[in-house]
Amino acid sequence: MNALSSRRAKRLILTGVAGLTALTLAGCASGSGGGGGDAGGPLVLYTWAASEGDQAQWADFIDGAQAEDPDLDITVEGPSFSDYWTKVKTRLSGSNPPCLLTTQAARAQELGDLLMPLDDLIEKSDFDIENIDASMLSGMTVDGTIRAIPYDAEPIVLFYNVEAFEAAGLELPGTEYTRDQFIADAKALTDGDKKGLALAPGIFIPNAWSLADGVPAVTEDGELDLTNPDFVDQIQSFFDLVSVEQVANAPEAADGSEVSQQAFTSGEVPMLIEGPWMYGSFADAADFTLGVTIVPSTSGEAAAMTAGSGFGIAANCDRPDEAFAAIEALTSVSVQEKQAEARGIVPARIEALPAWAEGKTEGAAEVVEALLADATPQRTTPTWNQVETLMTQYGVQGYRGELTAEEIMETIQNSVAG
């Protein structure tokens, strides 16, 4: 996810370019015709919808859903991904609020009060919840009730340059990878300033590293737990990849994720931890064979942090049955298969997983399946943006060995809690 990425804007009539034009125009009319829609009229999906890529993805979703239910009528509106998390609250408090919303599992707690509990609707419609990735459902659960149905389940993976491994005489990692072996491989792939691993600033990837060993940054009760000694140890081991093992360069605080991604796809650095949603982009940009393995764990066994998004119903929606029927169609097996094939997302429906394997290198799908068999969603708190900002700021000093993980985590925990 995904973790994920960026998203979408406005109204749909789903006929190629004309559909995208209609999607864009809807943003100008929102609020004038009924955000939730009159009975029998279109349902409104409020989501991240600012870019052409966002618009095209939602058009594909709704096009596929209409194949399941020809009577389905949905219009789309919304701001950029970064603005969505604040503007959705304002939008729902205004006139004619929308019925359908999107959320990420990582942000479900933050939007919990805005999202209707879906458990009764799930039971009433006999919705097959057992076929949905359990980690993502857990991430979409707030106060013991499911608030959204996920459409993707993206386990964070380690991408590697197959030819670089082979040239160094290294065994290609697959569904098992210990940290000791990973560090040994990274050292074998490191030559002076040319390092074995590329890093980006922030807490997203260190959090995935920690969860590969089963240690979360946030408790199941939703409390920030950065000073937990086990989490501190995990973050210190990640910092040590730079300051002690010297298999990576410290990222700069101003670096975007594209800096580490470009270092990987250019062949400059042979390993990178990222989301599987990047597979298509990496494969297009790289002139080497793309390998996929697990984020290394101490035991070598596969365990993942999953990131992903889903569809929910606004708490003040007065058409919940219609809205849930729309969600059923939007998250159907056929729609998720189409999204997996066309856009490379890892579908949340287990039955649709084989569609993601199409066009991938040998073993990639097995790695994703192994990770999803023991996955934990990325849990965050309403203050997570502040955590991310502070980790970006202070993490550079951790990588350089100027501050310890204990000092940094205590500073962030106290700053956010204060």
Side-chain angles (χ1 to χ4, degrees), residues 357-416:
E358 294 296 320
K360 306 300 187 298
T361 50
E362 183 179 356
E366 287 76 11
V367 166
V368 166
E369 290 175 10
L371 288 168
L372 288 179
D374 186 8
T376 303
Q378 182 197 18
R379 297 185 187 279
T380 66
T381 66
T383 58
W384 196 253
N385 282 344
Q386 189 177 355
V387 173
E388 179 70 33
T389 299
L390 292 170
M391 181 63 169
T392 298
Q393 176 184 346
Y394 292 112
V396 174
Q397 293 172 277
Y399 290 116
R400 293 174 178 167
E402 298 166 357
L403 292 173
T404 65
E406 183 177 11
E407 292 170 324
I408 293 172
M409 292 303 105
E410 184 174 357
T411 297
I412 297 175
Q413 180 86 29
N414 291 340
S415 297
V416 172

Side-chain angles (χ1 to χ4, degrees), residues 73-364:
D73 192 2
I74 298 176
T75 63
V76 178
E77 62 169 270
S80 68
F81 179 78
S82 59
D83 288 340
Y84 175 78
W85 308 100
T86 53
K87 291 189 175 181
V88 65
K89 300 169 187 177
T90 303
R91 181 68 182 87
L92 285 177
S93 64
S95 60
N96 302 312
C99 265
L100 294 170
L101 306 176
T102 50
T103 186
Q104 291 184 325
R107 311 293 288 262
Q109 300 293 325
E110 182 179 345
L111 299 188
D113 291 342
L114 306 181
L115 294 164
M116 180 182 294
L118 300 181
D119 300 70
D120 289 344
L121 290 166
I122 289 170
E123 183 177 359
K124 181 179 179 180
S125 64
D126 290 326
F127 183 76
D128 182 14
I129 207 72
E130 298 298 322
N131 189 46
I132 304 291
D133 177 74
S135 70
M136 288 304 300
L137 279 175
S138 173
M140 300 293 190
T141 297
V142 180
D143 294 334
T145 59
I146 297 171
R147 303 301 174 97
I149 302 298
Y151 59 76
D152 67 340
E154 313 275 5
I156 307 307
V157 300
L158 174 68
F159 289 99
Y160 65 91
N161 181 327
V162 170
E163 282 78 10
F165 266 69
E166 291 175 340
L170 303 175
E171 182 178 349
L172 300 181
T175 58
E176 297 183 355
Y177 203 23
T178 67
R179 288 191 178 169
D180 286 344
Q181 186 61 56
F182 161 72
I183 291 172
D185 290 346
K187 287 183 175 180
L189 293 163
T190 295
D191 183 8
D193 291 335
K194 184 176 180 180
K195 303 298 184 179
L197 176 71
L199 297 177
I203 200 167
F204 182 71
I205 298 302
N207 197 17
W209 173 271
S210 185
L211 279 172
D213 261 9
V215 181
V218 176
T219 68
E220 290 189 4
D221 295 331
E223 298 296 324
L224 196 63
D225 199 21
L226 302 182
T227 54
N228 174 352
D230 290 336
F231 184 74
V232 169
D233 287 346
Q234 290 289 328
I235 299 303
Q236 187 62 58
S237 71
F238 199 73
F239 286 159
D240 286 350
L241 296 175
V242 175
S243 58
V244 177
E245 308 298 349
Q246 299 183 0
V247 297
N249 289 320
E252 297 296 332
D255 288 351
S257 58
E258 68 275 1
V259 174
S260 57
Q261 292 170 3
Q262 186 173 9
F264 174 67
T265 57
S266 69
E268 177 187 345
V269 179
M271 290 192 287
L272 176 70
I273 298 173
E274 251 296 357
W277 58 84
M278 293 303 301
Y279 188 102
S281 297
F282 288 172
D284 289 342
D287 61 0
F288 55 82
T289 306
L290 201 59
V292 178
T293 186
I294 69 170
V295 175
S297 63
T298 300
S299 68
E301 296 179 358
M305 180 181 86
T306 47
S309 304
F311 299 103
I313 300 175
N316 56 356
C317 172
D318 59 2
R319 300 164 60 186
D321 291 324
E322 291 177 64
F324 191 76
I327 290 175
E328 288 186 273
L330 289 166
T331 61
S332 66
V333 173
S334 63
V335 171
Q336 292 196 20
E337 286 176 337
K338 180 180 177 182
Q339 290 293 318
E341 293 167 357
R343 300 183 179 276
I345 70 166
V346 176
R349 281 193 174 273
I350 298 166
E351 291 173 82
L353 267 176
W356 186 84
E358 294 296 320
K360 306 300 187 298
T361 50
E362 183 179 356

